Amino acid sequence: MKIVIIRHAKVNMEWEKRYDSKLYDLACKKYDTSDIVPISEIIFNENSIDVIYISELSRSYETAYQLFGKTDFCKTSLINEVPLKSFKDTKKKNPLWIWNFIGRLQWLFNNRRQPETRRQTLIRAKKAIELVENNNKDCFIITHGFYMRTLIKELRSKGYKIEKQTRMGIANLDKIIAIK
């Protein structure tokens, strides 16, 4: 089975450099509802794949629509991005990277301040793989950068061979192929 995992297109939103907790939480919500930057060229031409899974977030749908046109997508919350919120309540303005970094650390250590813990994300990734394997068809998964790390790690543990990445991170529209 071949699974082509694609990170959504760039989101059309500019982050501020500093936030207090309330404004950071609002910015995270705004990001989750913002449109994507239009894709200038189609870079995927995998005609043999019939199923396209998308998350419930609009940027996943918009990316799939721009890449593949009007077709039936299988929408599932199992591949949504790992939600993020402020790591504490404060009126003090901190740099954006501090909010992101400490929030993700809280996720890593299963801190309940975050809307989802690492354990919960892992369970979700296992269920997503089960869904795909039960369908037993080659597929695309249009998902999100941070979630992709957990999904790829779990695919490896299930015996999938993962196409190597050349970059440290996962950029918008990056494609990673998992084969079993």
Side-chain angles (χ1 to χ4, degrees), residues 12-73:
N12 192 14
M13 182 187 135
E14 294 296 322
W15 290 86
E16 299 293 327
K17 292 186 192 296
R18 302 177 76 79
Y19 291 99
D20 64 22
S21 59
K22 185 177 180 180
L23 291 176
Y24 178 76
D25 290 341
L26 288 172
C28 288
K29 287 178 184 175
K30 180 180 177 187
Y31 182 80
D32 281 345
T33 59
S34 293
D35 294 331
I36 62 169
V37 174
I39 300 170
S40 59
E41 65 179 70
I42 304 301
I43 53 177
F44 306 108
N45 56 1
E46 308 267 348
N47 296 330
S48 63
I49 296 182
D50 295 326
V51 182
I52 303 168
Y53 295 95
I54 63 170
S55 79
E56 293 179 327
L57 300 172
S58 62
R59 59 188 180 267
S60 177
Y61 169 79
E62 289 177 30
T63 300
Y65 182 80
Q66 287 192 34
L67 291 176
F68 305 105
K70 188 171 184 173
T71 188
D72 290 329
F73 302 118

Side-chain angles (χ1 to χ4, degrees), residues 3-7 52-53 79 132 139-143 151:
I3 302 170
V4 181
I5 306 162
I6 302 169
R7 183 178 178 201
I52 303 168
Y53 295 95
I79 59 173
V132 168
C139 65
F140 282 99
I141 297 176
I142 313 297
T143 189
L151 182 63

Side-chain angles (χ1 to χ4, degrees), residues 2 8 22 39 44 59 64 91 108 119 128 135 150 157:
K2 180 178 181 180
H8 62 80
K22 185 177 180 180
I39 300 170
F44 306 108
R59 59 188 180 267
K91 292 185 180 191
L108 181 67
R119 275 188 224 106
N135 201 4
T150 302
S157 77

Side-chain angles (χ1 to χ4, degrees), residues 61-105:
Y61 169 79
E62 289 177 30
T63 300
Y65 182 80
Q66 287 192 34
L67 291 176
F68 305 105
K70 188 171 184 173
T71 188
D72 290 329
F73 302 118
C74 296
K75 187 185 286 189
T76 176
S77 62
L78 294 174
I79 59 173
N80 283 357
E81 179 61 292
V82 178
L84 186 60
K85 70 173 279 193
S86 57
F87 62 88
K88 68 177 184 174
D89 293 325
T90 182
K91 292 185 180 191
K92 180 183 175 194
K93 288 195 172 188
N94 290 303
L96 174 62
W97 74 268
I98 294 280
W99 290 110
N100 291 337
F101 181 75
I102 296 177
R104 290 307 187 199
L105 274 179

Side-chain angles (χ1 to χ4, degrees), residues 25 82-89 102-121 123:
D25 290 341
V82 178
L84 186 60
K85 70 173 279 193
S86 57
F87 62 88
K88 68 177 184 174
D89 293 325
I102 296 177
R104 290 307 187 199
L105 274 179
Q106 286 179 328
W107 169 86
L108 181 67
F109 291 108
N110 296 300
N111 185 304
R112 296 201 185 276
R113 168 79 182 188
Q114 291 305 313
E116 181 175 86
T117 64
R118 182 176 60 155
R119 275 188 224 106
Q120 292 167 323
T121 303
I123 290 167

